[in-house]
Amino acid sequence: QLQLVESGGGLVQPGGSLRLSCAVSGFAVDGYDIGWFRQAPGKEREGVSCISSGSTNYADSVKGRFTISRDNTKSTVYLQMNSLKPEDTAVYYCAARRSIYCASYRSFGSWGQGTQVTVSS
């Protein structure tokens, strides 16, 4: 059974940084797309970043500020978030699907429980 557990959220001031972690079990990270999504109050969930074997992509709103990476030996995917803005405040989720090389943010079938990120002074 695929399981994903996010951690690393918290409260940070504008301009600060956080690193989110997504620990996966029940499958090998290699061979799957792992995506990061976020949902702010009153807004739809949006795709933030995705990583697969050999490819990554980012939403325009986070390009140049967020970096996705993975450690296959630890079965963990990370989202390094720098230069955080108040509009980055949201619950962040990681999700998995069989790899289609991050061609889209649709059809992710396995989800974690989410971690809250709050950017505020």
Side-chain angles (χ1 to χ4, degrees):
Q1 182 177 359
L2 278 65
Q3 290 189 328
L4 302 97
V5 179
E6 302 94 336
S7 61
L11 173 64
V12 64
Q13 293 186 342
S17 298
L18 282 175
R19 188 178 78 160
L20 305 183
S21 298
C22 174
V24 307
S25 60
F27 65 101
V29 173
D30 192 16
Y32 281 75
D33 293 344
I34 306 295
W36 281 100
F37 296 77
R38 65 186 181 188
Q39 187 165 21
K43 294 188 177 181
E44 292 187 354
R45 187 174 62 199
E46 63 171 339
V48 173
S49 184
C50 181
I51 188 167
S52 69
S53 178
S55 68
T56 59
N57 66 41
Y58 300 90
D60 287 344
S61 58
V62 306
K63 279 181 182 176
R65 300 188 298 122
F66 290 11
T67 303
I68 193 169
S69 63
R70 70 183 189 189
D71 185 337
N72 289 349
T73 64
K74 296 182 179 179
S75 296
T76 301
V77 173
Y78 303 98
L79 186 68
Q80 177 67 44
M81 306 186 296
N82 299 328
S83 302
L84 283 162
K85 305 174 181 180
E87 51 264 43
D88 295 317
T89 295
V91 178
Y92 283 70
Y93 301 88
C94 62
R97 69 177 175 209
R98 291 281 189 178
S99 182
I100 56 170
Y101 299 103
C102 293
S104 76
Y105 286 104
R106 295 187 298 271
S107 304
F108 280 81
S110 298
W111 292 81
Q113 82 289 348
T115 185
Q116 177 71 47
V117 171
T118 303
V119 185
S120 175
S121 55

